[in-house]
Amino acid sequence: MNLQLLSQMILAERVDRNHASWNNIAGELKNSLAGAGGEARVLALLKRELDLEPAPLFFTDLSFPNKEGFSQVDLLLLHPNFVCVLEVKNMRGDFYFNSENFQFHRIVDGRVEGMRNPEWQLHRAMKAAEKYLGVPVSGAIVLANRSGRVVEGPKIHPVLSLDYLPFHIESLVYKTNAFDVEGLAARLRDLPKGSFPNNLLERHQLSIDSLRLGVTCPNCRTVALERKNRKWHCAKCGGFFQDAHEVTLQEYAVLFGRELPTRFAYQLLRVEDKYLLYRLLEKSALQGNERGKRWIVPRVELLEAYFSSIYR
């Protein structure tokens, strides 16, 4: 799961459903889940069907710096003969590209819906990747949903069905470029992370005070647990959990960073005893040189396991 998806999942859990922003948060999460499903489908197909020697390297969820902040890239393929950026769209309906003014709309179930132009998104991502890597970059829009149909296509960049994509990628090998794959791969791995969580909070005008604090019950998902007899107890479902606070700490780290003021940790976990807090944070949020602050040990796999059980 990427940082964007995790941030949206956390907010959907932690923001009250009566909050003015919750419907927008839920809508964005629904779209992101659909997009992630499409990207996973494309990646699985390419790994299964591509017949290239050597096999390309795949990079997902990249954020290339540009003048406005960052340009997101769904999927990038790196090969000695090409660098290719894919803009994946997991949408259904009839698609209409207007290459004169770069507008885009689709018709689905008889409704006309204006949307951001995938060709503009791809073009922006390709330019950012070219500038950062210093090599030519090709690109394509990929329709991951077989219920999508292009009625009027773009004039600059290709739009490809999922089934045709492997043939298109294989055709790029006949380009004459000879890239330093190891050097470019190292640069891609050194890319700075985007500031999506901060942007998300600002866009929805949210702060830490907007969120439900406490350790979430993995079963009920909306109830704060109580610490009893060295375990977390849910008064609603009666469940007991050993280390449920670990997920809460990781959620905070994703949204607000790894630095955790000790004073706020009492509120975050809803505990009052300082010795209990010390035991809970001993291995999960380490003390640094600065008094009154701890640093959360990143364990994103805990969030991935927690949310994978919810959004299957």
Side-chain angles (χ1 to χ4, degrees), residues 3-4 6-12 14-15 195-201 206-208 211 249-258 303:
L3 188 61
Q4 171 179 332
L6 284 174
S7 302
Q8 292 171 323
M9 288 176 170
I10 295 168
L11 289 187
R14 293 278 178 176
V15 174
S195 56
F196 184 84
N198 290 337
N199 295 338
L200 183 66
L201 292 165
L206 299 172
S207 67
I208 190 68
L211 309 182
L249 292 171
Q250 296 303 315
E251 289 178 325
Y252 177 89
V254 166
L255 293 181
F256 301 101
R258 292 178 53 210
L303 292 180

mmCIF file of all heavy atoms in Angstrom, residues 3-4 6-12 14-15 195-201 206-208 211 249-258 303:
data_model
loop_
_atom_site.group_PDB
_atom_site.id
_atom_site.type_symbol
_atom_site.label_atom_id
_atom_site.label_comp_id
_atom_site.label_asym_id
_atom_site.label_seq_id
_atom_site.Cartn_x
_atom_site.Cartn_y
_atom_site.Cartn_z
ATOM 1 N N LEU A 3 1.636 5.494 0.475
ATOM 2 C CA LEU A 3 1.385 6.447 1.553
ATOM 3 C C LEU A 3 0.043 7.152 1.383
ATOM 4 O O LEU A 3 -0.661 7.409 2.367
ATOM 5 C CB LEU A 3 2.528 7.469 1.585
ATOM 6 C CG LEU A 3 2.569 8.440 2.757
ATOM 7 C CD1 LEU A 3 2.712 7.690 4.071
ATOM 8 C CD2 LEU A 3 3.706 9.435 2.588
ATOM 9 N N GLN A 4 -0.317 7.460 0.158
ATOM 10 C CA GLN A 4 -1.591 8.127 -0.106
ATOM 11 C C GLN A 4 -2.756 7.271 0.360
ATOM 12 O O GLN A 4 -3.659 7.733 1.068
ATOM 13 C CB GLN A 4 -1.724 8.432 -1.593
ATOM 14 C CG GLN A 4 -3.106 8.933 -1.995
ATOM 15 C CD GLN A 4 -3.199 9.259 -3.477
ATOM 16 O OE1 GLN A 4 -2.197 9.616 -4.100
ATOM 17 N NE2 GLN A 4 -4.373 9.142 -4.048
ATOM 18 N N LEU A 6 -2.773 4.711 2.479
ATOM 19 C CA LEU A 6 -2.760 4.524 3.925
ATOM 20 C C LEU A 6 -3.306 5.755 4.649
ATOM 21 O O LEU A 6 -4.079 5.639 5.606
ATOM 22 C CB LEU A 6 -1.340 4.224 4.412
ATOM 23 C CG LEU A 6 -0.814 2.814 4.160
ATOM 24 C CD1 LEU A 6 0.647 2.715 4.569
ATOM 25 C CD2 LEU A 6 -1.643 1.775 4.907
ATOM 26 N N SER A 7 -2.918 6.940 4.194
ATOM 27 C CA SER A 7 -3.394 8.176 4.823
ATOM 28 C C SER A 7 -4.911 8.290 4.723
ATOM 29 O O SER A 7 -5.588 8.657 5.691
ATOM 30 C CB SER A 7 -2.743 9.397 4.156
ATOM 31 O OG SER A 7 -1.342 9.331 4.238
ATOM 32 N N GLN A 8 -5.449 7.978 3.557
ATOM 33 C CA GLN A 8 -6.898 8.063 3.371
ATOM 34 C C GLN A 8 -7.633 7.026 4.212
ATOM 35 O O GLN A 8 -8.705 7.307 4.761
ATOM 36 C CB GLN A 8 -7.231 7.891 1.883
ATOM 37 C CG GLN A 8 -6.751 9.054 1.026
ATOM 38 C CD GLN A 8 -6.882 8.776 -0.447
ATOM 39 O OE1 GLN A 8 -6.667 7.652 -0.898
ATOM 40 N NE2 GLN A 8 -7.241 9.779 -1.218
ATOM 41 N N MET A 9 -7.072 5.837 4.333
ATOM 42 C CA MET A 9 -7.684 4.802 5.163
ATOM 43 C C MET A 9 -7.714 5.222 6.631
ATOM 44 O O MET A 9 -8.716 5.028 7.330
ATOM 45 C CB MET A 9 -6.913 3.488 5.010
ATOM 46 C CG MET A 9 -7.110 2.796 3.687
ATOM 47 S SD MET A 9 -6.060 1.320 3.562
ATOM 48 C CE MET A 9 -6.703 0.568 2.067
ATOM 49 N N ILE A 10 -6.617 5.806 7.090
ATOM 50 C CA ILE A 10 -6.537 6.243 8.488
ATOM 51 C C ILE A 10 -7.583 7.317 8.768
ATOM 52 O O ILE A 10 -8.299 7.267 9.779
ATOM 53 C CB ILE A 10 -5.125 6.758 8.811
ATOM 54 C CG1 ILE A 10 -4.109 5.620 8.719
ATOM 55 C CG2 ILE A 10 -5.082 7.387 10.206
ATOM 56 C CD1 ILE A 10 -2.669 6.084 8.729
ATOM 57 N N LEU A 11 -7.700 8.293 7.869
ATOM 58 C CA LEU A 11 -8.678 9.365 8.089
ATOM 59 C C LEU A 11 -10.106 8.827 8.058
ATOM 60 O O LEU A 11 -10.958 9.261 8.836
ATOM 61 C CB LEU A 11 -8.499 10.463 7.038
ATOM 62 C CG LEU A 11 -7.252 11.330 7.172
ATOM 63 C CD1 LEU A 11 -7.305 12.474 6.172
ATOM 64 C CD2 LEU A 11 -7.094 11.883 8.581
ATOM 65 N N ALA A 12 -10.378 7.890 7.143
ATOM 66 C CA ALA A 12 -11.719 7.311 7.083
ATOM 67 C C ALA A 12 -12.073 6.605 8.384
ATOM 68 O O ALA A 12 -13.246 6.539 8.771
ATOM 69 C CB ALA A 12 -11.822 6.338 5.913
ATOM 70 N N ARG A 14 -10.572 7.487 11.455
ATOM 71 C CA ARG A 14 -10.391 8.358 12.616
ATOM 72 C C ARG A 14 -11.257 9.616 12.605
ATOM 73 O O ARG A 14 -11.409 10.259 13.637
ATOM 74 C CB ARG A 14 -8.914 8.774 12.703
ATOM 75 C CG ARG A 14 -7.960 7.631 13.033
ATOM 76 C CD ARG A 14 -7.928 7.355 14.503
ATOM 77 N NE ARG A 14 -7.060 6.233 14.862
ATOM 78 C CZ ARG A 14 -6.826 5.855 16.109
ATOM 79 N NH1 ARG A 14 -7.384 6.523 17.110
ATOM 80 N NH2 ARG A 14 -6.057 4.822 16.370
ATOM 81 N N VAL A 15 -11.800 9.983 11.457
ATOM 82 C CA VAL A 15 -12.662 11.167 11.386
ATOM 83 C C VAL A 15 -14.107 10.736 11.600
ATOM 84 O O VAL A 15 -14.571 9.769 10.980
ATOM 85 C CB VAL A 15 -12.508 11.890 10.031
ATOM 86 C CG1 VAL A 15 -13.511 13.025 9.888
ATOM 87 C CG2 VAL A 15 -11.080 12.426 9.885
ATOM 88 N N SER A 195 4.677 14.794 0.165
ATOM 89 C CA SER A 195 4.085 15.245 1.425
ATOM 90 C C SER A 195 2.570 15.067 1.385
ATOM 91 O O SER A 195 1.826 15.947 1.794
ATOM 92 C CB SER A 195 4.439 16.711 1.684
ATOM 93 O OG SER A 195 4.037 17.529 0.591
ATOM 94 N N PHE A 196 2.119 13.912 0.879
ATOM 95 C CA PHE A 196 0.683 13.712 0.690
ATOM 96 C C PHE A 196 -0.117 13.818 1.981
ATOM 97 O O PHE A 196 -1.170 14.453 1.991
ATOM 98 C CB PHE A 196 0.418 12.367 0.015
ATOM 99 C CG PHE A 196 -1.039 12.146 -0.280
ATOM 100 C CD1 PHE A 196 -1.607 12.663 -1.427
ATOM 101 C CD2 PHE A 196 -1.853 11.463 0.609
ATOM 102 C CE1 PHE A 196 -2.952 12.490 -1.696
ATOM 103 C CE2 PHE A 196 -3.203 11.283 0.352
ATOM 104 C CZ PHE A 196 -3.743 11.787 -0.806
ATOM 105 N N PRO A 197 0.321 13.187 3.110
ATOM 106 C CA PRO A 197 -0.496 13.306 4.323
ATOM 107 C C PRO A 197 -0.738 14.747 4.752
ATOM 108 O O PRO A 197 -1.854 15.126 5.117
ATOM 109 C CB PRO A 197 0.324 12.532 5.366
ATOM 110 C CG PRO A 197 1.106 11.548 4.563
ATOM 111 C CD PRO A 197 1.452 12.278 3.297
ATOM 112 N N ASN A 198 0.304 15.581 4.704
ATOM 113 C CA ASN A 198 0.135 16.984 5.077
ATOM 114 C C ASN A 198 -0.834 17.695 4.145
ATOM 115 O O ASN A 198 -1.697 18.463 4.584
ATOM 116 C CB ASN A 198 1.493 17.702 5.067
ATOM 117 C CG ASN A 198 2.388 17.241 6.199
ATOM 118 O OD1 ASN A 198 1.906 16.734 7.202
ATOM 119 N ND2 ASN A 198 3.678 17.394 6.026
ATOM 120 N N ASN A 199 -0.693 17.448 2.849
ATOM 121 C CA ASN A 199 -1.600 18.065 1.878
ATOM 122 C C ASN A 199 -3.037 17.606 2.091
ATOM 123 O O ASN A 199 -3.982 18.381 1.945
ATOM 124 C CB ASN A 199 -1.152 17.730 0.453
ATOM 125 C CG ASN A 199 0.201 18.328 0.112
ATOM 126 O OD1 ASN A 199 0.629 19.291 0.739
ATOM 127 N ND2 ASN A 199 0.882 17.752 -0.859
ATOM 128 N N LEU A 200 -3.204 16.336 2.430
ATOM 129 C CA LEU A 200 -4.535 15.783 2.664
ATOM 130 C C LEU A 200 -5.190 16.447 3.866
ATOM 131 O O LEU A 200 -6.353 16.840 3.822
ATOM 132 C CB LEU A 200 -4.429 14.274 2.874
ATOM 133 C CG LEU A 200 -5.734 13.502 3.066
ATOM 134 C CD1 LEU A 200 -6.567 13.544 1.797
ATOM 135 C CD2 LEU A 200 -5.440 12.058 3.452
ATOM 136 N N LEU A 201 -4.455 16.599 4.940
ATOM 137 C CA LEU A 201 -4.993 17.232 6.137
ATOM 138 C C LEU A 201 -5.357 18.689 5.872
ATOM 139 O O LEU A 201 -6.410 19.167 6.298
ATOM 140 C CB LEU A 201 -3.976 17.141 7.278
ATOM 141 C CG LEU A 201 -3.724 15.734 7.828
ATOM 142 C CD1 LEU A 201 -2.468 15.715 8.682
ATOM 143 C CD2 LEU A 201 -4.915 15.243 8.633
ATOM 144 N N LEU A 206 -8.165 19.619 8.454
ATOM 145 C CA LEU A 206 -8.141 18.738 9.606
ATOM 146 C C LEU A 206 -6.871 18.965 10.421
ATOM 147 O O LEU A 206 -5.823 19.303 9.877
ATOM 148 C CB LEU A 206 -8.188 17.271 9.160
ATOM 149 C CG LEU A 206 -9.421 16.822 8.377
ATOM 150 C CD1 LEU A 206 -9.226 15.409 7.854
ATOM 151 C CD2 LEU A 206 -10.674 16.884 9.247
ATOM 152 N N SER A 207 -6.973 18.747 11.703
ATOM 153 C CA SER A 207 -5.824 18.775 12.604
ATOM 154 C C SER A 207 -5.926 17.560 13.515
ATOM 155 O O SER A 207 -6.874 16.772 13.423
ATOM 156 C CB SER A 207 -5.817 20.062 13.431
ATOM 157 O OG SER A 207 -6.918 20.077 14.325
ATOM 158 N N ILE A 208 -4.976 17.406 14.409
ATOM 159 C CA ILE A 208 -5.023 16.280 15.335
ATOM 160 C C ILE A 208 -6.288 16.332 16.178
ATOM 161 O O ILE A 208 -6.829 15.296 16.584
ATOM 162 C CB ILE A 208 -3.755 16.264 16.213
ATOM 163 C CG1 ILE A 208 -3.666 14.951 17.004
ATOM 164 C CG2 ILE A 208 -3.718 17.478 17.134
ATOM 165 C CD1 ILE A 208 -3.426 13.740 16.185
ATOM 166 N N LEU A 211 -9.459 14.344 14.940
ATOM 167 C CA LEU A 211 -9.436 12.891 14.870
ATOM 168 C C LEU A 211 -9.849 12.250 16.183
ATOM 169 O O LEU A 211 -9.650 12.811 17.256
ATOM 170 C CB LEU A 211 -8.027 12.404 14.500
ATOM 171 C CG LEU A 211 -7.377 13.038 13.276
ATOM 172 C CD1 LEU A 211 -6.027 12.405 13.020
ATOM 173 C CD2 LEU A 211 -8.266 12.913 12.049
ATOM 174 N N LEU A 249 0.198 3.912 16.903
ATOM 175 C CA LEU A 249 1.448 4.658 16.772
ATOM 176 C C LEU A 249 1.839 4.804 15.298
ATOM 177 O O LEU A 249 2.297 5.870 14.867
ATOM 178 C CB LEU A 249 2.565 3.957 17.546
ATOM 179 C CG LEU A 249 2.427 3.956 19.066
ATOM 180 C CD1 LEU A 249 3.483 3.048 19.698
ATOM 181 C CD2 LEU A 249 2.555 5.376 19.626
ATOM 182 N N GLN A 250 1.658 3.746 14.517
ATOM 183 C CA GLN A 250 2.002 3.814 13.094
ATOM 184 C C GLN A 250 1.068 4.752 12.341
ATOM 185 O O GLN A 250 1.495 5.457 11.416
ATOM 186 C CB GLN A 250 1.968 2.416 12.473
ATOM 187 C CG GLN A 250 3.001 1.455 13.039
ATOM 188 C CD GLN A 250 4.420 1.976 12.907
ATOM 189 O OE1 GLN A 250 4.804 2.488 11.843
ATOM 190 N NE2 GLN A 250 5.203 1.843 13.960
ATOM 191 N N GLU A 251 -0.211 4.792 12.723
ATOM 192 C CA GLU A 251 -1.150 5.730 12.108
ATOM 193 C C GLU A 251 -0.707 7.165 12.367
ATOM 194 O O GLU A 251 -0.722 8.006 11.451
ATOM 195 C CB GLU A 251 -2.554 5.503 12.668
ATOM 196 C CG GLU A 251 -3.203 4.213 12.213
ATOM 197 C CD GLU A 251 -4.571 4.001 12.837
ATOM 198 O OE1 GLU A 251 -4.760 4.386 14.010
ATOM 199 O OE2 GLU A 251 -5.442 3.459 12.146
ATOM 200 N N TYR A 252 -0.328 7.453 13.587
ATOM 201 C CA TYR A 252 0.146 8.800 13.920
ATOM 202 C C TYR A 252 1.392 9.147 13.107
ATOM 203 O O TYR A 252 1.505 10.267 12.577
ATOM 204 C CB TYR A 252 0.462 8.881 15.423
ATOM 205 C CG TYR A 252 1.017 10.215 15.860
ATOM 206 C CD1 TYR A 252 0.160 11.244 16.253
ATOM 207 C CD2 TYR A 252 2.379 10.459 15.867
ATOM 208 C CE1 TYR A 252 0.662 12.479 16.644
ATOM 209 C CE2 TYR A 252 2.898 11.685 16.248
ATOM 210 C CZ TYR A 252 2.028 12.696 16.639
ATOM 211 O OH TYR A 252 2.528 13.917 17.008
ATOM 212 N N ALA A 253 2.320 8.191 12.964
ATOM 213 C CA ALA A 253 3.555 8.447 12.228
ATOM 214 C C ALA A 253 3.287 8.769 10.764
ATOM 215 O O ALA A 253 3.937 9.638 10.176
ATOM 216 C CB ALA A 253 4.493 7.243 12.346
ATOM 217 N N VAL A 254 2.318 8.082 10.156
ATOM 218 C CA VAL A 254 1.993 8.343 8.750
ATOM 219 C C VAL A 254 1.431 9.751 8.578
ATOM 220 O O VAL A 254 1.808 10.477 7.654
ATOM 221 C CB VAL A 254 0.994 7.289 8.224
ATOM 222 C CG1 VAL A 254 0.387 7.731 6.894
ATOM 223 C CG2 VAL A 254 1.692 5.949 8.052
ATOM 224 N N LEU A 255 0.534 10.147 9.469
ATOM 225 C CA LEU A 255 -0.140 11.435 9.301
ATOM 226 C C LEU A 255 0.703 12.620 9.772
ATOM 227 O O LEU A 255 0.676 13.689 9.163
ATOM 228 C CB LEU A 255 -1.466 11.435 10.071
ATOM 229 C CG LEU A 255 -2.565 10.504 9.560
ATOM 230 C CD1 LEU A 255 -3.806 10.644 10.433
ATOM 231 C CD2 LEU A 255 -2.909 10.795 8.105
ATOM 232 N N PHE A 256 1.464 12.436 10.849
ATOM 233 C CA PHE A 256 2.120 13.587 11.482
ATOM 234 C C PHE A 256 3.630 13.452 11.623
ATOM 235 O O PHE A 256 4.289 14.371 12.123
ATOM 236 C CB PHE A 256 1.509 13.834 12.869
ATOM 237 C CG PHE A 256 0.035 14.101 12.840
ATOM 238 C CD1 PHE A 256 -0.871 13.103 13.171
ATOM 239 C CD2 PHE A 256 -0.454 15.339 12.437
ATOM 240 C CE1 PHE A 256 -2.242 13.340 13.129
ATOM 241 C CE2 PHE A 256 -1.823 15.583 12.387
ATOM 242 C CZ PHE A 256 -2.709 14.590 12.734
ATOM 243 N N GLY A 257 4.194 12.333 11.207
ATOM 244 C CA GLY A 257 5.633 12.152 11.301
ATOM 245 C C GLY A 257 6.017 11.299 12.498
ATOM 246 O O GLY A 257 5.219 11.043 13.401
ATOM 247 N N ARG A 258 7.253 10.872 12.520
ATOM 248 C CA ARG A 258 7.724 9.931 13.538
ATOM 249 C C ARG A 258 7.936 10.589 14.897
ATOM 250 O O ARG A 258 7.967 9.904 15.913
ATOM 251 C CB ARG A 258 9.025 9.288 13.079
ATOM 252 C CG ARG A 258 8.874 8.349 11.887
ATOM 253 C CD ARG A 258 10.223 7.801 11.482
ATOM 254 N NE ARG A 258 10.896 7.204 12.628
ATOM 255 C CZ ARG A 258 12.210 7.157 12.768
ATOM 256 N NH1 ARG A 258 12.990 7.684 11.846
ATOM 257 N NH2 ARG A 258 12.746 6.586 13.836
ATOM 258 N N LEU A 303 0.302 -1.566 9.572
ATOM 259 C CA LEU A 303 -0.839 -0.884 8.958
ATOM 260 C C LEU A 303 -1.356 -1.671 7.761
ATOM 261 O O LEU A 303 -2.571 -1.774 7.552
ATOM 262 C CB LEU A 303 -0.442 0.522 8.522
ATOM 263 C CG LEU A 303 -0.137 1.537 9.626
ATOM 264 C CD1 LEU A 303 0.231 2.872 9.010
ATOM 265 C CD2 LEU A 303 -1.321 1.688 10.560
#
